[in-house]
């Protein structure tokens, strides 16, 4: 399967613990996005990478959240000192501006985080 | 504020009925417009997209959407739905730089067989 993969698929953690999620984009894609989706809502943009550079961050991304894409390939999203409000589905997507630069994003299956 | 508004959160139709899902956006600039679909248990996937040219765009599985610039709208249509169209549909706006993406809240469509 050459699509976007995310690990783990599910994570249950206790409040106050740190968690890290990984996203492996489609190999030739240089753009990578992280989103958070809560029940009944559409995905909310968190951050965007072009290659290894983090070019855009939502104000939703508090200082407890950090994302990296060290070599411009896979990315990690870390949440420190988790809170119950962090419980959500975390989605990763990748894209590559080819042809008409239509920015179609390819999504992974998501990591569902439950904070108890 | 930049936003995407989807008119209906839940829609129930019988097979062969026509579908129209409304989407309006608020964004101060040129945008690329998308509809994504999420079938039960599956990833989000692209249904169709508009970035320039003919404002009536066709996507997969018989779906189409019309961009009306004056109304800031990008409504999704299908003349005759099937049970397999049961899914959640998201209207999405992406800025021309491709780095800022705004999703609508989604519309859950249930098609009765």
């Amino acid at each position: 399967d050459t699509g976007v993969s995310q690990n783990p698929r599910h994570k249950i953690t206790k409040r106050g613990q740190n968690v890290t999620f990984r996203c492996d984009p489609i190999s030739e894609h240089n753009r990578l996005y992280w989103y958070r989706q809560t029940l009944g809502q559409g995905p909310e943009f968190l951050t965007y990478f072009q290659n290894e550079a983090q070019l855009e961050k939502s104000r939703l991304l508090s200082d407890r959240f950090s994302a990296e894409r060290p070599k411009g390939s896979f990315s990690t999203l870390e949440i420190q000192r988790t809170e119950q409000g962090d419980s959500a589905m975390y989605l990763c997507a990748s894209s590559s501006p080819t042809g008409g630069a239509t920015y179609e994003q390819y999504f992974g299956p998501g990591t569902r985080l439950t904070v108890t | 504020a930049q936003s995407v508004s989807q008119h209906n959160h839940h829609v129930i139709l019988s097979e062969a009925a026509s579908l129209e899902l409304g989407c309006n956006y608020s964004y101060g600039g040129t945008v690329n417009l998308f509809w994504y679909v999420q079938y039960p248990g599956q990833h989000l996937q692209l249904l169709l997209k508009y970035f320039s040219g003919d404002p009536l765009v066709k996507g997969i599985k018989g779906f189409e959407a019309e961009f009306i610039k004056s109304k800031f709208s990008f409504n999704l249509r299908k003349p005759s739905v099937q049970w397999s169209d049961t899914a959640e549909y998201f209207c999405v706006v992406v800025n021309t730089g491709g780095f800022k993406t705004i999703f609508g809240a989604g519309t859950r469509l249930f098609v009765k067989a």
Side-chain angles (χ1 to χ4, degrees):
Chain A
D1 183 29
T2 56
V4 178
S5 62
Q6 292 186 246
N7 289 288
R9 295 290 304 276
H10 303 273
K11 179 70 177 178
I12 300 173
T13 191
K14 293 186 177 179
R15 190 165 46 117
Q17 297 295 303
N18 299 344
V19 294
T20 300
F21 310 141
R22 176 175 170 132
C23 171
D24 287 89
I26 293 171
S27 58
E28 63 268 26
H29 285 183
N30 65 339
R31 295 168 180 239
L32 187 145
Y33 309 75
W34 283 99
Y35 296 87
R36 180 174 66 189
Q37 185 176 21
T38 54
L39 202 61
Q41 299 297 319
E44 295 174 291
F45 172 82
L46 292 178
T47 191
Y48 160 74
F49 289 86
Q50 186 167 322
N51 300 310
E52 67 276 9
Q54 188 174 21
L55 298 184
E56 183 77 9
K57 286 172 60 173
S58 166
R59 61 178 182 272
L60 292 174
L61 212 67
S62 77
D63 55 8
R64 296 185 298 106
F65 287 69
S66 62
E68 294 183 341
R69 194 181 183 198
K71 297 182 180 179
S73 57
F74 73 91
S75 176
T76 58
L77 177 69
E78 181 183 14
I79 309 174
Q80 295 182 326
R81 306 181 302 281
T82 52
E83 302 173 356
Q84 286 186 324
D86 297 331
S87 295
M89 177 74 85
Y90 290 84
L91 295 169
C92 176
S94 68
S95 74
S96 178
T98 58
T102 58
Y103 309 115
E104 174 182 348
Q105 295 178 34
Y106 294 79
F107 284 82
T111 294
R112 182 168 295 284
L113 173 66
T114 302
V115 181
T116 62
Chain B
Q2 300 159 354
S3 65
V4 177
S5 175
Q6 292 186 234
H7 303 172
N8 308 94
H9 291 297
H10 294 92
V11 173
I12 300 174
L13 295 173
S14 297
E15 276 196 314
S18 64
L19 170 72
E20 180 159 3
L21 301 182
C23 173
N24 287 88
Y25 66 94
S26 171
Y27 194 91
T30 306
V31 296
N32 301 297
L33 298 163
F34 302 81
W35 278 93
Y36 279 81
V37 60
Q38 189 165 27
Y39 298 103
Q42 296 188 24
H43 308 180
L44 279 163
Q45 57 186 280
L46 182 70
L47 199 58
L48 50 76
K49 60 191 176 189
Y50 171 82
F51 55 99
S52 67
D54 188 343
L56 185 63
V57 293
K58 295 189 183 299
I60 60 171
K61 301 185 181 184
F63 285 89
E64 65 179 31
E66 184 175 14
F67 170 53
I68 302 178
K69 188 175 181 180
S70 61
K71 295 184 177 180
F72 298 94
S73 70
F74 190 56
N75 293 352
L76 181 70
R77 298 193 292 251
K78 185 172 184 179
S80 175
V81 296
Q82 301 173 310
W83 175 81
S84 58
D85 294 324
T86 294
E88 188 158 20
Y89 294 81
F90 294 94
C91 181
V92 182
V93 170
V94 180
N95 73 333
T96 52
F99 55 81
K100 190 162 185 70
T101 306
I102 305 172
F103 275 74
T107 298
R108 287 181 180 253
L109 170 67
F110 179 72
V111 180
K112 298 184 289 185

